[in-house]
């Protein structure tokens, strides 16, 4: 991946002097280019998109003249947009010193250097006494990362209100796609026209939240999975954040991204630093699907990314809820092992006084009334069956009805001057206080030392309301809380490197690249309704790869919605993620257990492909039909699911086109019969359906293949395999 670093501009601009732009760095991987320029001040991302080649770049081509009726200069949009430079959109930095001084800093470039595929810029405002370091990198995945560090070089406090990084987007990007929903129906997709307006996606829940995932996709109007230019931008932070999509009347568009700071939350003492969350961006000239694959490739390239095989697990929550009985749980484990399940996770209800959700949070020791011999009997039984054992925690929370709260009510993250707002009968613990983190580490560490626990389900069921931190004399504490959570998980991972951790926030309420630096799996949603899961998991796949996506088969009647689905429909919905079961198998019939065992075996057979291949989401004319799957990186194999979500405009389904295979390689297409029951007679099935179909990759992309008439809420599964060598 070449890096071209130009001569660093030096010196300062005087009044009415316009310095020439010079190239600071051109980062490229042959597919994408990221061009950074400067006129001696704040660096500007002049281009992030199609590769520009390796020829020298004449930056006068991108200089913008001043226009009549405005400023005598064309104001730049720097990596940190400066209002002092004439930028009238959302500023990149907001803050002040005592008396409102230094509210609009303007930085001078001091130095820049390149290392590998990265460039580091050092800037200073000698009047505001602020130093700013910028780090920009283009990774082999095609994902670009941006981060900034601000140093207070003065002798008095600097009150920081915001530090945002700005990514330019082509003026042709006239549509935005955002992601969000609600508890039990997360990761919905919402499209909005992007004209001369400012659209803000912000989160104030204190965790990533169900309502708004910290990502935005901007693209040419009508962009689809495989057509149109698309830019994706994600804030890798597990607290409050904002994405400001700024489109003004001067033919420029950009996204400003960073942490959303509460008033007074970050005060930099002399010598203190503030580091922004990392902002991640990806580009595609051929639709949304390649942007998703770039994000997935970035995550998969991390040294801490979980590797194969991802264990199939059973979680006890919807099987027993708080009704913990060791003999019954042993019987449940016996059935799970017979079905081929590899991990048994004991959910909420095992610790002191926890007979319902009104008490016990914070008291992380085993309840002797329920477990008189401790967890040893169930752990030993599960491991004796050849399965791993996992355990549920919600470390950041406390019930007022708990020994911990009665001893340390001052540890709650609340403003005691006002009535406390409970959520699910609980408050949040203040992890900005080191003693709170030490207590939680000690409790969890002791259990991990005592028992063979391979997995933690780490839950977070309450938003942060008026989060006043006692560690900061009642100041807002979301920033410190987020760093405290990170520190606690990091300490536990260092002490127990073999233990995997799942991030859960009442389902998909806390998932982002920040928490994923510390966890191995995501509980995608508390709804296991297979119909809802199709929409939920499709939205999840926009940013995160399938091996991180907890996807379970629930009971025949879904607890969250009351809907009933056949096991094949539930199974195919769960198949493509980190597969699991959330079902009281003791109540399942022998036939249902046999069908589950077959699905478990199928997932194990396909798991190496499902958890390493490129995610494929297809465009289709019928909005009631969803097509998704995974294609092997060498294009030798694919698994595709076709689902009719509801009744559609026709009894026919338009041909299923599969893009991305080798155009001139012959492929064999076969239906995988997972409980499919045809409608009507054999005449209503394509001739090939019970055999195989031979097509080239080019033909599969252009012609596609036909499928039988499908009932609503039914899925078909297909395996596609090259009939000869690839390459």
């Amino acid at each position: 991946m070449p890096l071209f670093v130009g001569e660093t501009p030096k010196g300062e601009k005087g009044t009415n002097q316009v310095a020439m732009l010079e190239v600071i760095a051109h980062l490229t991987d042959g597919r994408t280019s990221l061009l950074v320029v400067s006129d001696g001040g704040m660096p500007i991302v002049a281009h992030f998109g199609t590769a520009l080649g390796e020829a020298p770049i004449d930056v006068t081509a991108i200089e913008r003249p001043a226009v009549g009726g405005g400023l005598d200069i064309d104001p730049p949009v720097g990596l940190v947009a400066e209002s002092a430079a004439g930028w009238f959109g959302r500023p990149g930095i907001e803050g002040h010193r005592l008396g409102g001084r230094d509210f609009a800093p303007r930085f001078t470039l001091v130095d820049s250097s390149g290392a590998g595929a990265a460039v580091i810029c050092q800037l200073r405002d000698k009047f505001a006494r602020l130093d700013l370091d910028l780090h920009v990198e283009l990774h082999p995945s095609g994902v670009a990362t941006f981060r900034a560090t601000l140093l207070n070089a003065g002798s008095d406090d600097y009150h920081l209100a915001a530090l945002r990084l700005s990514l330019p987007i082509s003026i042709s990007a006239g549509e935005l796609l955002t992601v969000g929903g609600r508890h039990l129906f997360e990761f919905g997709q919402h499209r909005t026209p992007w004209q001369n307006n400012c659209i803000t996606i912000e989160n104030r829940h204190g965790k990533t939240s169900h309502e708004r995932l910290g990502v935005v996709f901007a693209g040419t109007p009508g962009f689809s999975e495989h057509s149109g230019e698309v830019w994706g931008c994600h804030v890798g932070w597990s607290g409050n954040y904002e994405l400001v999509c700024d489109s003004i009347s001067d033919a420029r568009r950009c996204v400003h991204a960073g942490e959303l700071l509460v008033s007074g939350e970050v005060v930099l003492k002399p010598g203190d630093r503030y580091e922004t969350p990392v902002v991640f961006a990806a580009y595609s000239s051929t639709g949304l699907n390649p942007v998703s694959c770039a994000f997935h490739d970035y995550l998969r390239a991390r040294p801490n990314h979980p590797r194969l095989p991802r264990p199939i697990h059973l979680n006890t929550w919807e099987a027993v809820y708080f009704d913990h009985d060791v003999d019954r749980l042993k019987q449940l484990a016996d059935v799970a092992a017979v079905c081929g399940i590899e991990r048994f996770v004991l959910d909420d209800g095992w610790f002191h006084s926890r007979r319902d959700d009104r008490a016990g949070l914070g008291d992380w020791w085993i309840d002797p009334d329920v477990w008189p011999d401790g967890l040893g009997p169930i752990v030993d039984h599960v491991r004796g069956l050849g399965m791993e054992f996992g355990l549920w925690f919600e470390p950041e929370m406390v019930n007022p009805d708990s020994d911990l709260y009665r001893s340390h009510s001052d540890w709650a993250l609340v403003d005691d001057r006002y009535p406390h707002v409970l959520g699910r009968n609980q408050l949040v613990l203040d992890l900005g206080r080191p003693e709170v983190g030490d207590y939680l580490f000690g409790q969890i560490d002791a259990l991990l030392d005592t028992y063979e626990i391979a997995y933690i389900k780490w839950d977070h069921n309450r938003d942060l309301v008026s989060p006043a931190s006692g560690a900061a004399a009642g100041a807002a504490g979301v920033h410190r809380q987020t760093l405290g959570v990170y520190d606690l998980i990091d300490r536990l991972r260092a002490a127990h490197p073999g233990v995997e951790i799942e991030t859960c926030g009442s389902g998909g309420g806390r998932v982002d690249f920040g928490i994923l630096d510390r966890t191995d799996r995501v509980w995608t949603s508390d709804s296991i309704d297979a119909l809802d899961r199709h929409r939920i998991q499709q939205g999840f796949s926009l940013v995160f790869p399938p091996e991180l996506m907890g996807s379970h088969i629930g009971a025949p009647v879904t607890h969250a919605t009351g809907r009933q689905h056949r096991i094949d429909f539930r199974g195919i919905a769960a198949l493509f993620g980190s597969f699991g079961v959330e079902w009281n198998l003791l109540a399942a019939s022998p036939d249902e257990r046999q069908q589950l065992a077959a699905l478990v075996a199928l997932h194990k057979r396909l798991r190496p492909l499902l958890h390493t291949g490129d995610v494929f989401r297809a465009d289709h004319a019928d909005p009631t039909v969803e097509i998704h799957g995974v294609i092997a990186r060498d294009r030798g194999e694919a698994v595709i699911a076709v689902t009719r979500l509801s009744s559609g405009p026709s009894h026919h389904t338009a041909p299923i086109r599969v893009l991305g295979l080798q155009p001139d390689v012959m492929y064999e297409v076969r239906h995988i019969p997972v409980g499919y029951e045809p409608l009507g007679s054999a005449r209503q099935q394509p001739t090939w359906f019970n055999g195989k179909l031979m097509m080239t990759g080019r033909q599969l992309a252009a012609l596609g293949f036909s499928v039988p008439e499908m009932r609503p809420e039914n899925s078909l599964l297909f395996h596609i395999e090259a009939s000869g060598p690839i390459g």
Side-chain angles (χ1 to χ4, degrees), residues 93 107 130-133 148-152 158 160 162-163 268 272-276:
I93 182 169
F107 291 90
L130 296 171
D131 291 346
L132 181 68
D133 290 348
T149 303
L150 184 70
L151 168 70
N152 179 8
Y158 184 79
L160 182 66
L163 185 57
L268 298 178
D272 282 356
R273 299 174 185 269
Y274 168 80
E275 184 171 326
T276 66

Side-chain angles (χ1 to χ4, degrees), residues 676-686 689-690 708-709 711:
Y676 169 72
E677 291 184 358
L679 284 171
S681 68
R683 294 194 311 274
Q684 292 171 287
Q685 295 183 30
F689 190 68
N690 292 316
E709 183 181 351
R711 291 188 179 94

